[in-house]
Amino acid sequence: MGEPERIWTEEQALSDDVGKKDLIKFLQDHASKEFLADHKLLGSAKNVAKTSKKENLVEAYTQMFDTKAFKDAAQDKEFDDMTAKAKELKMSEKPKEEEEEAAAEAPKYTKQTLKKGDGKNFPSKGDLVSCWYKGMLEDGTVFDTNISDGSKKKKATPLKFKVGTGRVIRGWDEGLMTMTKGEKAKLIIEPDWAYGRKGLEKKIPPHATLTFEVELENIE
């Protein structure tokens, strides 16, 4: 999709002639999914309008053109794939009281460095990290990986997510923030910081200790 026509000036967009739903619909029709996600504009226009301020929508409208963050089918598919993969690694949310208690408990993972990183660049909470990984059960069964074995036709891509924000299991969030760019490590994660008593569908049994080999490729 090419660059859309800028149908309103900033002044017109701020006027009463243009409603919040008009701006949201235009942005959802023309902006990339990553841009929409960053500006919390995904979902029904009605629901987005309830939580969005008009000035913020106009700012997003202007920024979309300034940064050329337009809809692109290939990039949107990549975004969907990364979002789906991150959801697979996300653990069930805990009540606030449990989260506060967990903050004070001892780490429930161990880390073994397999390859040293640059020793300087550590990811901070909210940084976008890119990782290669392989997840294994206690018997060595690989239940998930994004590392190509050479026989797959699909091109392998690193998993990208904002670290320390609960997008993945806690053992990943905590472990990755101790690694530096380029480092490869083995994270052995206890059930409480993995998928707990429920497990994950048919992939991971309840109360499973998991081992991940993770390489921190990049930090943004």
Side-chain angles (χ1 to χ4, degrees):
M1 180 178 289
E3 181 171 341
E5 179 186 356
R6 193 187 293 247
I7 59 175
W8 306 297
T9 64
E10 186 173 347
E11 185 177 334
Q12 289 171 331
L14 285 166
S15 73
D16 293 337
D17 293 334
V18 180
K20 290 202 292 185
K21 287 184 181 179
D22 296 323
L23 285 161
I24 293 165
K25 186 177 186 308
F26 185 89
L27 286 163
Q28 290 182 340
D29 286 345
H30 298 291
S32 69
K33 284 190 176 180
E34 184 174 5
F35 180 89
L36 294 172
D38 286 344
H39 289 80
K40 296 182 172 61
L41 296 173
L42 290 172
S44 72
K46 182 179 179 180
N47 290 336
V48 174
K50 288 179 182 179
T51 58
S52 301
K53 293 183 179 180
K54 176 74 174 289
E55 54 267 31
N56 292 339
L57 292 171
V58 175
E59 183 180 347
Y61 170 79
T62 302
Q63 188 178 341
M64 181 189 71
F65 284 100
D66 291 345
T67 61
K68 299 190 181 300
F70 306 126
K71 189 181 292 290
D72 180 281
Q75 290 180 2
D76 284 353
K77 184 179 184 306
E78 183 180 351
F79 176 83
D80 287 340
D81 290 344
M82 288 189 297
T83 300
K85 186 63 72 173
K87 282 182 179 178
E88 286 185 10
L89 291 168
K90 178 176 171 57
M91 66 177 179
S92 300
E93 292 183 3
K94 294 183 178 180
K96 187 175 181 181
E97 298 78 18
E98 289 185 30
E99 290 181 355
E100 290 173 350
E101 289 177 9
E105 62 186 337
K108 294 191 175 180
Y109 75 96
T110 58
K111 172 188 160 188
Q112 300 171 17
T113 299
L114 303 177
K115 183 184 76 173
K116 292 183 179 180
D118 64 12
K120 298 181 293 184
N121 295 299
F122 292 86
S124 300
K125 184 176 180 180
D127 284 347
L128 183 66
V129 295
S130 301
C131 302
W132 298 102
Y133 71 92
K134 178 169 69 173
M136 293 163 284
L137 302 178
E138 290 180 89
D139 64 2
T141 300
V142 176
F143 63 84
D144 195 16
T145 182
N146 66 345
I147 302 170
S148 174
D149 62 5
S151 63
K152 297 178 182 178
K153 292 182 180 179
K154 183 178 178 182
K155 184 180 178 182
T157 56
L159 173 67
K160 294 184 179 182
F161 63 95
K162 291 184 178 180
V163 72
T165 61
R167 295 287 300 277
V168 294
I169 57 175
R170 187 173 177 189
W172 265 56
D173 270 341
E174 300 285 350
L176 276 164
M177 287 192 287
T178 71
M179 297 171 64
T180 59
K181 183 177 178 180
E183 182 177 342
K184 183 176 182 180
K186 178 183 289 186
L187 302 177
I188 302 172
I189 304 172
E190 296 176 32
D192 284 354
W193 281 20
Y195 293 93
R197 63 180 182 273
K198 293 183 179 180
L200 181 65
E201 297 177 356
K202 298 178 180 179
K203 285 187 174 183
I204 300 170
H207 305 289
T209 295
L210 304 178
T211 298
F212 289 92
E213 290 182 4
V214 184
E215 183 172 358
L216 180 56
E217 181 183 72
N218 197 24
I219 307 167
E220 299 176 41

